[in-house]
Amino acid sequence: QAQQVESGGGSVQPGGSLRLSCAAPGFASNNCEMAWYRQSAGQQQREWVSSIRPGGRTTYADSVKGRFTMTRDTLNDMVYLQMDSLKPEDTALYFCKSATISGFCLRYYDWGQGTQVTVSS
């Protein structure tokens, strides 16, 4: 059962911003790579959005590059996704999870409840 908790979703107009949060106690000290994914209504596949490695390097899907920023707070074991210039096609259920498939990090490998983002005028 997933132990990370996502929050921060909501409804926003196109061009607006939201910041998603993910609480994952211990991920930083255990060197877990963390990632954000999203799943749009009617889509079976979840889409990878971004990742942050233990050293802090981030990578992004082309669809969000330049608009989304993934950060982390290693003191409080939080992961964030700052989403700017939102588009209707960003509407989805957003999930965070570990991309490290071993040891301690496995507790964050399952899919959590996610947080809904809706972009609409």
Side-chain angles (χ1 to χ4, degrees):
Q1 186 174 356
Q3 298 188 26
Q4 69 277 21
V5 179
E6 304 98 336
S7 63
S11 295
V12 64
Q13 292 187 340
S17 298
L18 281 174
R19 188 177 81 154
L20 306 184
S21 301
C22 174
F27 89 89
S29 59
N30 286 279
N31 297 314
C32 304
E33 177 175 343
M34 298 297 289
W36 285 98
Y37 287 80
R38 65 186 182 185
Q39 184 173 21
S40 303
Q43 297 288 328
Q44 283 194 324
Q45 294 284 349
R46 293 180 176 97
E47 175 191 13
W48 170 76
V49 175
S50 63
S51 294
I52 189 164
R53 293 184 181 178
R57 181 185 176 191
T58 52
T59 51
Y60 301 91
D62 287 343
S63 58
V64 306
K65 200 173 294 182
R67 300 187 299 120
F68 290 11
T69 305
M70 185 174 184
T71 59
R72 63 183 185 172
D73 177 348
T74 56
L75 185 63
N76 294 296
D77 284 311
M78 296 291 294
V79 177
Y80 301 100
L81 185 67
Q82 177 66 40
M83 305 186 297
D84 298 318
S85 302
L86 282 162
K87 304 175 181 180
E89 51 264 42
D90 295 317
T91 296
L93 188 60
Y94 284 72
F95 303 88
C96 82
K97 67 189 299 286
S98 171
T100 303
I101 316 172
S102 62
F104 178 91
C105 306
L106 280 172
R107 68 188 61 194
Y108 302 128
Y109 187 68
D110 288 337
W111 298 103
Q113 295 296 310
T115 185
Q116 178 67 39
V117 171
T118 302
V119 185
S120 174
S121 55

